Amino acid sequence: KNEVEQSPQNLTAQEGEFITINCSYSVGISALHWLQQHPGGGIVSLFMLSSGKKKHGRLIATINIQEKHSSLHITASHPRDSAVYICAVDETSGSRLTFGEGTQLTVNP
Amino acid sequence: ETGVTQSPTHLIKTRGQQVTLRCSSQSGHNTVSWYQQALGQGPQFIFQYYREEENGRGNFPPRFSGLQFPNYSSELNVNALELDDSALYLCASSLLGMSAEAFFGQGTRLTVV
């Protein structure tokens, strides 16, 4: 069993839909990261969370430390949101990240 | 743009050869972590360098080695390349010990033939 599990693995949505990607982890963490990866390969950090909720534009990330679960929400999805979204946890405050396998999101116009 | 740059962006090598990948860290960051991402999978931690010393290593053989320089830039060296080493290699710079945001480079796509 992976330490970080994401669901779903693949997600197809229509433009404008509300999207949720889930992440569960099995270890104690100091922080959880949500990252976005486009086909070229580069990774962009979206959020870093250790508690509660963060919002940036149409993106919202929440974390429940007791349940070891986090969600990434995208409101009013757009085709440019199409990418791989990856959840990663930092167990030691040492910036050594353990990654989930990612969720491939495709938003159709 | 994160300020973390990797070179080269793409590379093709023959099995058995050696390769060196380079990463410049974000200004002010003292830690560089290297990750290997096979196709369709999440990145896997290779090792981390902090102030020129290795500071943790994942489940990778000794033929994967690294360096960090006084300006905190870093190299990843892989000897005796194998076909399974074909992957995207990512580096991330951060400040150690602060659960700080990690800034990733664009990656180096290595193909071993």
Side-chain angles (χ1 to χ4, degrees), chain A residues 8-12 21 37 82-85 101-106:
Chain A
Q9 285 187 309
N10 293 282
L11 181 57
T12 300
I21 300 170
Q37 187 171 35
S82 299
V84 176
Y85 291 84
E101 297 210 342
T103 295
Q104 174 69 62
L105 171 65
T106 303

Side-chain angles (χ1 to χ4, degrees), chain B residues 2 12 31-32 44 50 66 69 89 91 94 112:
Chain B
T2 64
I12 300 175
T31 302
V32 173
Q44 298 289 318
Y50 169 65
F69 300 99
Y89 289 84
C91 77
S94 58
V112 182

Side-chain angles (χ1 to χ4, degrees), chain A residues 77-92:
Chain A
S77 60
H78 190 277
R80 65 175 174 266
D81 297 327
S82 299
V84 176
Y85 291 84
I86 305 175
C87 167
V89 300
D90 183 351
E91 296 178 48
T92 63

Side-chain angles (χ1 to χ4, degrees), chain A residues 17-93:
Chain A
E17 286 185 358
F18 180 84
I19 287 161
T20 296
I21 300 170
N22 294 299
C23 175
S24 296
Y25 53 92
S26 57
V27 294
I29 67 169
S30 60
L32 181 143
H33 298 247
W34 280 103
L35 307 155
Q36 181 192 57
Q37 187 171 35
H38 281 281
I43 289 179
V44 174
S45 177
L46 299 175
F47 295 104
M48 186 181 71
L49 293 163
S50 54
S51 65
K53 175 180 174 177
K54 287 190 176 180
K55 184 175 189 294
H56 184 249
R58 295 180 295 106
L59 301 178
I60 303 166
T62 64
I63 188 168
N64 185 318
I65 296 292
Q66 287 73 31
E67 295 187 3
K68 296 187 175 177
H69 180 269
S70 176
S71 294
L72 175 69
H73 306 285
I74 304 175
T75 62
S77 60
H78 190 277
R80 65 175 174 266
D81 297 327
S82 299
V84 176
Y85 291 84
I86 305 175
C87 167
V89 300
D90 183 351
E91 296 178 48
T92 63
S93 298

